[in-house]
mmCIF file of all heavy atoms in Angstrom:
data_model
loop_
_atom_site.group_PDB
_atom_site.id
_atom_site.type_symbol
_atom_site.label_atom_id
_atom_site.label_comp_id
_atom_site.label_asym_id
_atom_site.label_seq_id
_atom_site.Cartn_x
_atom_site.Cartn_y
_atom_site.Cartn_z
ATOM 1 N N LEU A 93 11.195 -22.283 -5.110
ATOM 2 C CA LEU A 93 12.408 -22.946 -5.653
ATOM 3 C C LEU A 93 12.782 -22.204 -6.931
ATOM 4 O O LEU A 93 11.918 -22.025 -7.829
ATOM 5 C CB LEU A 93 12.178 -24.408 -5.907
ATOM 6 C CG LEU A 93 12.213 -25.342 -4.670
ATOM 7 C CD1 LEU A 93 11.757 -26.727 -5.084
ATOM 8 C CD2 LEU A 93 13.588 -25.388 -4.100
ATOM 9 N N CYS A 103 17.966 -26.288 -7.660
ATOM 10 C CA CYS A 103 18.119 -27.345 -6.632
ATOM 11 C C CYS A 103 18.849 -28.540 -7.170
ATOM 12 O O CYS A 103 18.540 -29.014 -8.267
ATOM 13 C CB CYS A 103 16.699 -27.680 -6.184
ATOM 14 S SG CYS A 103 16.748 -29.002 -4.948
ATOM 15 N N ILE A 104 19.819 -28.964 -6.396
ATOM 16 C CA ILE A 104 20.643 -30.139 -6.775
ATOM 17 C C ILE A 104 20.306 -31.340 -5.922
ATOM 18 O O ILE A 104 20.996 -32.339 -5.946
ATOM 19 C CB ILE A 104 22.147 -29.820 -6.702
ATOM 20 C CG1 ILE A 104 22.462 -29.216 -5.309
ATOM 21 C CG2 ILE A 104 22.538 -28.857 -7.820
ATOM 22 C CD1 ILE A 104 23.954 -29.161 -5.034
ATOM 23 N N GLY A 105 19.230 -31.307 -5.165
ATOM 24 C CA GLY A 105 18.757 -32.412 -4.438
ATOM 25 C C GLY A 105 19.725 -32.884 -3.344
ATOM 26 O O GLY A 105 19.865 -34.047 -2.983
ATOM 27 N N CYS A 106 20.445 -31.905 -2.738
ATOM 28 C CA CYS A 106 21.518 -32.328 -1.765
ATOM 29 C C CYS A 106 20.919 -32.606 -0.348
ATOM 30 O O CYS A 106 21.627 -33.101 0.511
ATOM 31 C CB CYS A 106 22.540 -31.184 -1.640
ATOM 32 S SG CYS A 106 21.907 -29.685 -0.943
ATOM 33 N N GLU A 107 19.675 -32.227 -0.077
ATOM 34 C CA GLU A 107 19.029 -32.483 1.127
ATOM 35 C C GLU A 107 19.538 -31.672 2.371
ATOM 36 O O GLU A 107 19.334 -31.999 3.500
ATOM 37 C CB GLU A 107 19.029 -33.987 1.518
ATOM 38 C CG GLU A 107 18.265 -34.754 0.518
ATOM 39 C CD GLU A 107 18.165 -36.257 0.911
ATOM 40 O OE1 GLU A 107 18.218 -36.543 2.132
ATOM 41 O OE2 GLU A 107 18.044 -37.081 0.039
ATOM 42 N N LEU A 108 20.396 -30.690 2.085
ATOM 43 C CA LEU A 108 20.938 -29.923 3.163
ATOM 44 C C LEU A 108 19.834 -29.127 3.880
ATOM 45 O O LEU A 108 19.836 -28.909 5.121
ATOM 46 C CB LEU A 108 22.028 -28.932 2.632
ATOM 47 C CG LEU A 108 23.395 -29.583 2.405
ATOM 48 C CD1 LEU A 108 24.347 -28.532 1.860
ATOM 49 C CD2 LEU A 108 23.954 -30.208 3.733
ATOM 50 N N CYS A 109 18.892 -28.624 3.089
ATOM 51 C CA CYS A 109 17.777 -27.940 3.692
ATOM 52 C C CYS A 109 16.981 -28.810 4.654
ATOM 53 O O CYS A 109 16.658 -28.382 5.731
ATOM 54 C CB CYS A 109 16.869 -27.383 2.576
ATOM 55 S SG CYS A 109 16.344 -28.529 1.351
ATOM 56 N N VAL A 120 13.163 -34.319 0.790
ATOM 57 C CA VAL A 120 13.834 -34.194 -0.485
ATOM 58 C C VAL A 120 14.228 -35.658 -0.876
ATOM 59 O O VAL A 120 14.818 -36.308 -0.063
ATOM 60 C CB VAL A 120 15.082 -33.295 -0.495
ATOM 61 C CG1 VAL A 120 15.645 -33.198 -1.854
ATOM 62 C CG2 VAL A 120 14.777 -31.966 0.124
ATOM 63 N N TYR A 141 10.236 -32.995 -3.897
ATOM 64 C CA TYR A 141 10.613 -31.907 -2.998
ATOM 65 C C TYR A 141 9.269 -31.410 -2.360
ATOM 66 O O TYR A 141 8.387 -30.923 -3.046
ATOM 67 C CB TYR A 141 11.276 -30.745 -3.759
ATOM 68 C CG TYR A 141 11.954 -29.777 -2.765
ATOM 69 C CD1 TYR A 141 13.305 -29.862 -2.565
ATOM 70 C CD2 TYR A 141 11.190 -28.880 -2.063
ATOM 71 C CE1 TYR A 141 13.929 -29.015 -1.639
ATOM 72 C CE2 TYR A 141 11.777 -28.045 -1.106
ATOM 73 C CZ TYR A 141 13.159 -28.145 -0.951
ATOM 74 O OH TYR A 141 13.751 -27.295 -0.039
ATOM 75 N N CYS A 158 20.942 -23.796 2.057
ATOM 76 C CA CYS A 158 21.013 -24.185 0.609
ATOM 77 C C CYS A 158 22.303 -23.680 -0.058
ATOM 78 O O CYS A 158 22.616 -22.479 -0.036
ATOM 79 C CB CYS A 158 19.816 -23.548 -0.088
ATOM 80 S SG CYS A 158 19.780 -24.043 -1.796
ATOM 81 N N PRO A 159 23.097 -24.510 -0.640
ATOM 82 C CA PRO A 159 24.379 -24.127 -1.170
ATOM 83 C C PRO A 159 24.217 -23.443 -2.618
ATOM 84 O O PRO A 159 25.171 -22.767 -3.020
ATOM 85 C CB PRO A 159 25.120 -25.433 -1.352
ATOM 86 C CG PRO A 159 24.035 -26.473 -1.500
ATOM 87 C CD PRO A 159 22.906 -25.994 -0.718
ATOM 88 N N THR A 160 23.080 -23.639 -3.243
ATOM 89 C CA THR A 160 22.929 -23.073 -4.620
ATOM 90 C C THR A 160 21.962 -21.937 -4.658
ATOM 91 O O THR A 160 21.598 -21.475 -5.749
ATOM 92 C CB THR A 160 22.442 -24.182 -5.513
ATOM 93 O OG1 THR A 160 21.183 -24.659 -5.045
ATOM 94 C CG2 THR A 160 23.397 -25.351 -5.599
ATOM 95 N N ALA A 162 18.970 -22.076 -4.250
ATOM 96 C CA ALA A 162 17.736 -22.571 -4.924
ATOM 97 C C ALA A 162 16.538 -22.241 -4.139
ATOM 98 O O ALA A 162 15.481 -21.904 -4.690
ATOM 99 C CB ALA A 162 17.850 -24.094 -5.122
ATOM 100 N N LEU A 163 16.658 -22.370 -2.849
ATOM 101 C CA LEU A 163 15.449 -22.193 -1.959
ATOM 102 C C LEU A 163 15.504 -20.805 -1.399
ATOM 103 O O LEU A 163 16.460 -20.343 -0.774
ATOM 104 C CB LEU A 163 15.507 -23.210 -0.837
ATOM 105 C CG LEU A 163 14.268 -23.419 -0.036
ATOM 106 C CD1 LEU A 163 13.113 -23.916 -0.855
ATOM 107 C CD2 LEU A 163 14.488 -24.364 1.143
HETATM 108 S S1 SF4 C 402 16.790 -26.662 -1.929
HETATM 109 FE FE1 SF4 C 402 18.948 -26.253 -1.684
HETATM 110 S S2 SF4 C 402 19.547 -27.350 0.139
HETATM 111 FE FE2 SF4 C 402 17.526 -28.148 -0.428
HETATM 112 S S3 SF4 C 402 17.979 -29.929 -1.628
HETATM 113 FE FE3 SF4 C 402 17.796 -28.249 -2.998
HETATM 114 S S4 SF4 C 402 19.877 -27.479 -3.317
HETATM 115 FE FE4 SF4 C 402 19.859 -28.784 -1.474
#
Side-chain angles (χ1 to χ4, degrees):
Chain A
L93 282 171
C103 178
I104 52 169
C106 67
E107 296 185 27
L108 281 177
C109 50
V120 186
Y141 195 101
C158 182
T160 60
L163 193 62

